[in-house]
Amino acid sequence: MRADQLASVWKRILAYIIDIFIVNSIITRPFNKLMENAIPKKITSFLSLAENFDWKTLIIISLVSGVITILYWAVLEFKIQQTLGSLLLNIKVKSESKKLQFSQLLLRNITKISFVVLLLDSIPVLYSAKKQRYTEKLSKTITVENEK
Amino acid sequence: MKNKFKTIIIVIILLWLISFFSARLMKNFLEEGVVSNGIAIIPIEGTIMIGEGDGIFEKTISVNKIVEDLERANSNPGIKAVILEINSGGGGVVATREIVKAVKQVKKPVIALIREVGASGAYWIASATDWIIADEMSITGSIGVYSSYLEFSGLLQNYNVTYERLIAGEFKDIGVPYRKLTNEEKNMMQRKLDLIHELFIKEIAENRNLSKEKVTKLADGFFYLGIEAKENGLIDELGGRGEAIAKAEQLGKLKDGNVIVYKEKPSLLDYLNKLQNKAFYSMGRGIGVSLTETENKLEIIA
């Protein structure tokens, strides 16, 4: 049995860009107006900036839209092992051990709740043998080329 | 491949629907909490203006904020009635009329509660509501229009300063404070003010279901105390917030209404204004006391 070829970093980055575009422009778009309302329309001074942000609203919206973002990846990878971005770049997710479980996919995608957290999670991709993020190592999943 | 695309589209649509309904649910919850039997109190405090004022020496309120609050209350199914809590001496004509229009578009009972002052444009807004309540000593009425300003031509002349008039359009510089108005110009301005005054009277008469003649008699620009306004039909009831809430419950057909005040969070500038106002008040008081107080003391001078 031929070993799976690991997906290149650039393909993975491009796939992520396509997916995050879909998530931001379509899926979480209904939250945009709420976000706008949480940000003051008139900033009287930089000192008032922190006071006039509706922090409660911003945190709640970020959490809810973050969960929906994670579900985009987790549900699609569970159903077809691919998202739209990975389908277009011909890569897919695989479990290292058993059959792919939904809990593995939730864990591997949990850092997509925030770009900064995802960036930190992705550091090992640059040096690890299997090009895995921290959460991919924890969830025992890898991203490979989709052999036809 | 086709099946995969189909799955992706279905998941995207489902997730979008979850987002849509979550956002709707969150909108009401975050802004007012989960409300039922709600009575929204919208404060109208300060001079009514179209844009945001500087707020340094004068408290102002923007039309946009009030109209947004009215629309919010109107669209929230948990809000059953609205109280406009008014403490304003009026403001710009266009600004006032925009609020009047927004009040009339609210499909729920709207009650006006006049606190210290609800005069001129602020009274115009109150008249558009379903019921007006004011304290016996509240200041209201002042159904009139003014456009007065300081004219400095005499002062400039004393300092040998001349106003060089360069215009295209005969009346372009009408109202400029560096020259006197001509009689013709005064008459033209007066006609404009009379037009606005007539419209003001007409709308008050319609809103309050009073005859135009009666309102014209009352519309000499003078203010009325709450007790006088009740007698002449400009308001409906004497009272305060308690009475306003009771009326909102009656007209909104609710029992034990939940009161939600649509208050703007004060910014650092608001706090600084408050401190500044206190400081200026103290300064003024100190100067006044030192000018007016006399000291009587016996002195022996060698």
Side-chain angles (χ1 to χ4, degrees):
Chain A
M1 204 163 84
R2 212 168 50 174
D4 293 304
Q5 193 186 345
L6 294 172
S8 74
V9 174
W10 292 113
K11 275 195 175 186
R12 293 181 66 178
I13 291 173
L14 272 169
Y16 174 76
I17 290 171
I18 292 168
D19 288 323
I20 203 68
F21 175 76
I22 297 291
V23 167
N24 286 342
S25 61
I26 302 174
I27 296 175
T28 58
R29 200 181 168 84
F31 292 108
N32 287 359
K33 188 76 183 158
L34 282 183
M35 278 286 199
E36 268 173 38
N37 291 343
I39 293 163
K41 288 174 183 53
K42 184 184 174 188
I43 311 293
T44 52
S45 74
F46 283 114
L47 291 173
S48 74
L49 205 70
E51 286 170 10
N52 284 299
F53 268 74
D54 186 349
W55 290 109
K56 182 180 91 176
T57 301
L58 282 173
I59 288 167
I60 292 174
I61 293 170
S62 299
L63 279 172
V64 175
S65 66
V67 166
I68 294 172
T69 300
I70 292 168
L71 282 176
Y72 167 80
W73 268 276
V75 169
L76 280 174
E77 285 172 354
F78 183 67
K79 295 293 285 180
I80 55 172
Q81 290 176 272
Q82 291 172 301
T83 57
L84 179 64
S86 39
L87 182 70
L88 293 172
L89 274 298
N90 206 30
I91 55 178
K92 68 178 182 186
V93 172
K94 238 186 124 174
S95 173
E96 280 188 302
S97 50
K98 44 197 174 162
K99 189 180 171 211
L100 206 51
Q101 307 272 355
F102 189 67
S103 52
Q104 285 177 281
L105 297 165
L106 277 177
L107 179 59
R108 88 177 241 117
N109 289 303
I110 200 158
T111 50
K112 285 176 182 150
I113 201 165
S114 154
F115 179 70
V116 171
V117 177
L118 178 66
L119 217 56
L120 293 169
D121 184 34
S122 304
I123 292 170
V125 172
L126 300 169
Y127 60 78
S128 73
K130 290 185 187 174
K131 294 182 190 170
Q132 285 170 303
R133 294 182 278 116
Y134 286 118
T135 45
E136 285 175 329
K137 279 188 194 165
L138 280 169
S139 60
K140 294 189 172 55
T141 55
I142 49 170
T143 310
V144 298
E145 292 286 335
N146 185 29
E147 287 155 18
K148 287 191 176 112
Chain B
M1 186 78 146
K2 241 189 195 172
N3 283 339
K4 285 187 177 181
F5 270 115
K6 214 169 139 190
T7 307
I8 289 169
I9 288 169
I10 291 170
V11 168
I12 288 174
I13 291 172
L14 281 172
L15 288 175
W16 181 87
L17 283 169
I18 294 172
S19 289
F20 178 76
F21 288 111
S22 304
R24 286 286 288 263
L25 210 70
M26 283 165 66
K27 187 177 185 301
N28 290 334
F29 178 76
L30 288 169
E31 288 175 357
E32 278 106 35
V34 177
V35 172
S36 60
N37 274 0
I39 298 173
I41 295 185
I42 298 173
I44 299 179
E45 276 192 35
T47 306
I48 301 160
M49 296 174 59
I50 291 277
E52 304 272 352
D54 283 338
I56 304 288
F57 296 111
E58 181 191 23
K59 183 154 172 76
T60 59
I61 184 147
S62 160
V63 163
N64 295 338
K65 193 211 173 289
I66 299 170
V67 169
E68 264 168 33
D69 285 345
L70 284 165
E71 284 168 359
R72 230 169 86 200
N74 195 31
S75 63
N76 185 341
I79 299 289
K80 304 295 181 196
V82 178
I83 297 174
L84 296 182
E85 200 168 76
I86 297 172
N87 193 25
S88 165
V93 175
V94 173
T96 300
R97 292 193 72 210
E98 285 186 10
I99 297 172
V100 167
K101 188 176 168 192
V103 168
K104 288 182 175 177
Q105 283 172 349
V106 175
K107 292 177 180 59
K108 298 172 188 183
V110 184
I111 291 99
L113 169 62
I114 296 174
R115 307 300 298 266
E116 290 281 356
V117 183
S120 193
Y123 176 72
W124 195 338
I125 293 166
S127 77
T129 63
D130 300 302
W131 193 259
I132 308 177
I133 298 175
D135 185 82
E136 287 174 352
M137 298 290 117
S138 295
I139 290 173
T140 185
S142 185
I143 304 169
V145 190
Y146 79 92
S147 186
S148 312
Y149 61 96
L150 293 177
E151 188 268 298
F152 294 101
S153 62
L155 181 67
L156 294 177
Q157 211 170 23
N158 292 343
Y159 286 92
N160 211 17
V161 175
T162 35
Y163 168 63
E164 287 295 345
R165 194 166 183 242
L166 292 166
I167 52 165
E170 193 185 341
F171 303 111
K172 187 67 186 173
D173 66 342
I174 200 171
V176 131
Y178 310 121
R179 67 170 182 84
K180 287 188 186 320
L181 286 174
T182 63
N183 284 334
E184 186 191 2
E185 287 169 340
K186 266 195 191 161
N187 291 336
M188 286 168 73
M189 291 290 282
Q190 189 59 52
R191 277 200 294 276
K192 303 274 184 251
L193 293 177
D194 290 340
L195 252 172
I196 297 170
H197 193 217
E198 249 180 67
L199 182 65
F200 196 168
I201 291 169
K202 178 174 169 276
E203 288 213 6
I204 300 294
E206 270 169 22
N207 293 344
R208 296 295 302 160
N209 210 19
L210 298 167
S211 71
K212 201 173 162 200
E213 293 71 31
K214 180 168 185 185
V215 177
T216 306
K217 272 192 196 155
L218 297 169
D220 57 2
F222 201 49
F223 62 86
Y224 300 100
L225 296 179
I227 197 164
E228 294 169 321
K230 175 85 172 58
E231 279 166 16
N232 58 34
L234 290 179
I235 67 166
D236 298 297
E237 186 181 341
L238 293 169
R241 210 189 234 205
E243 284 76 14
I245 292 171
K247 194 68 189 177
E249 285 173 347
Q250 184 202 339
L251 295 179
K253 295 186 179 58
L254 29 116
K255 214 177 158 193
D256 298 327
N258 294 314
V259 173
I260 297 140
V261 180
Y262 285 27
K263 231 192 313 198
E264 199 166 7
K265 274 187 285 207
S267 68
L268 184 64
L269 190 64
D270 291 326
Y271 289 123
L272 288 175
N273 275 345
K274 247 186 165 170
L275 277 173
Q276 189 171 248
N277 289 343
K278 279 192 178 162
F280 279 135
Y281 173 74
S282 300
M283 259 168 62
R285 200 155 183 267
I287 292 167
V289 161
S290 65
L291 287 173
T292 55
E293 262 186 16
T294 53
E295 224 177 63
N296 286 323
K297 60 179 180 184
L298 181 65
E299 278 187 17
I300 298 171
I301 302 165

